[in-house]
Amino acid sequence: MEYNIVIAPTLEILASEVAGFIPQGWKLKGAILEHMNGYAQQIVRHPKDSIRQIQQKQQVPVKQRRTRWIE
């Protein structure tokens, strides 16, 4: 399991930085902590989630067939 701590001076910046990790398979763990230099949030990711993300990116998207509807 991978752990990461995101630190930011304001809650708005913390939220935007954490939002960048969510599509990569990271999940929030615990609450937001307030400290002298700002705020911190711990995030976690299982190795299988990161492997799954890589595999999904490598798959070739299926072409959609165009159909014409007769009215």
Side-chain angles (χ1 to χ4, degrees), residues 9-63:
T10 65
L11 286 173
E12 292 83 14
I13 295 172
L14 180 67
S16 63
E17 288 187 19
V18 169
F21 286 99
I22 300 296
Q24 299 172 5
W26 291 92
K27 296 180 183 176
L28 300 176
K29 181 178 181 190
I32 295 173
L33 302 174
E34 185 176 359
H35 56 85
M36 293 176 54
N37 297 330
Y39 300 91
Q41 173 72 53
Q42 185 176 8
I43 54 179
V44 296
R45 176 172 67 176
H46 294 283
K48 65 180 179 178
D49 294 338
S50 60
I51 293 170
R52 187 178 303 136
Q53 290 288 334
I54 293 169
Q55 289 175 348
Q56 287 177 352
K57 288 180 182 178
Q58 291 177 350
Q59 290 179 352
V60 177
V62 178
K63 290 186 178 180

Side-chain angles (χ1 to χ4, degrees), residues 67-71:
T67 57
R68 182 178 229 174
W69 294 96
I70 300 173
E71 295 181 4

